[in-house]
Amino acid sequence: MLYSPIGLLFFLALWLLFGLLVVFIQIGILEYVFDTLGVSRRYMLLLLLACLLGSYINIPIGHLPGKNVEAGEVINFFGVQYVVPVLVNSPGTVLAVNLGGAIIPFVLSVYLIFKHGLYLRSLIAIGIVTFVVHLMARPVHGVGIAVPIFIPPVITAIVALSLSRWDAAPLAYIAGSMGTLIGADLLNLNKVSNLGAPVASIGGAGKFDGIFLTGLVAVLIAGIFGARRRPARAS
């Protein structure tokens, strides 16, 4: 299923943010931030681009019974417009997984956990962010579960910096992406069938902007304010 998860104006804003990020990295302003992730800036930019393009792609994995399904509308939540898709001959709610908002962030998060050995700290950080996001997540009729996009990045960055100054950037991405997915989507699946949403996309409408911005902004904050090098080992 192909459709934009958020309104055109807000989606263009995400593309503008991505463009500014590319410029800042190319002129060296944010080069260190992405070096701390352990992923080259070239591949990281490709991954972020894949997330933006992949946000259009939802992979159906199941079907939930539902009543009074809405379609073809634009819903406002915390100042952001979410697009309700139009489905033909599909009563109830289609359960799907968003490529750019769930699959790619999950794969990258797992890679960062193993690359940096952040097993216990990732578990703690994800748990904290999951709890906070779950408290803020709200069911939105016609859309599914939505999350305010501005608070989670700051919370995630604070958690990452508190747990590890020199691995704050990768920890922020892991906690921001996984915490939002679990806290907003997985822990609220039981509420989706009553919201009249034609598509309940894990990592999609209502969460993609939150997952993308939380992962990106948290990494920037944690990378800028985190330690620039590990403490020297005692000889």
Side-chain angles (χ1 to χ4, degrees):
M1 295 182 294
L2 302 175
Y3 69 92
S4 174
I6 55 180
L8 178 61
L9 179 62
F10 297 95
F11 208 75
L12 289 177
L14 291 182
W15 279 101
L16 177 60
L17 176 62
F18 176 76
L20 291 175
L21 187 66
V22 172
V23 173
F24 288 154
I25 292 177
Q26 292 302 320
I27 63 179
I29 294 179
L30 297 176
E31 182 175 1
Y32 165 75
V33 173
F34 286 91
D35 286 342
T36 60
L37 276 173
V39 180
S40 72
R41 59 180 181 178
R42 177 184 303 175
Y43 292 118
M44 191 63 199
L45 289 175
L46 286 176
L47 285 170
L48 291 175
L49 178 61
C51 286
L52 283 173
L53 295 176
S55 67
Y56 286 94
I57 303 175
N58 295 278
I59 304 171
I61 59 174
H63 188 274
L64 301 173
K67 299 179 180 179
N68 300 323
V69 174
E70 297 186 12
E73 297 185 13
V74 177
I75 307 295
N76 287 285
F77 178 74
F78 271 84
V80 179
Q81 294 181 336
Y82 298 104
V83 178
V84 180
V86 176
L87 295 182
V88 179
N89 297 326
S90 181
T93 299
V94 176
L95 183 62
V97 178
N98 188 267
L99 177 62
I103 297 177
I104 295 176
F106 173 78
V107 172
L108 179 56
S109 295
V110 172
Y111 169 78
L112 292 175
I113 289 173
F114 283 96
K115 180 177 179 61
H116 295 276
L118 298 171
Y119 307 109
L120 180 58
R121 281 174 290 183
S122 289
L123 185 62
I124 296 172
I126 291 172
I128 296 173
V129 175
T130 296
F131 176 76
V132 174
V133 170
H134 187 62
L135 290 178
M136 294 188 296
R138 295 291 182 270
V140 179
H141 194 74
V143 173
I145 306 299
V147 180
I149 64 175
F150 300 109
I151 300 177
V154 178
I155 299 297
T156 302
I158 293 174
V159 171
L161 286 167
S162 300
L163 292 175
S164 177
R165 291 296 302 275
W166 47 85
D167 284 322
L171 192 58
Y173 185 88
I174 295 165
S177 300
M178 299 299 294
T180 303
L181 276 173
I182 298 172
D185 277 326
L186 299 184
L187 295 182
N188 287 295
L189 283 179
N190 61 321
K191 302 177 182 178
V192 170
S193 60
N194 297 321
L195 296 179
V199 178
S201 179
I202 299 175
K207 282 83 59 184
F208 168 73
D209 52 350
I211 293 171
F212 184 82
L213 286 179
T214 297
L216 180 59
V217 175
V219 164
L220 295 179
I221 295 174
I224 292 172
F225 292 99
R228 291 187 173 272
R229 58 176 61 88
R230 292 179 180 275
R233 294 180 181 271
S235 58

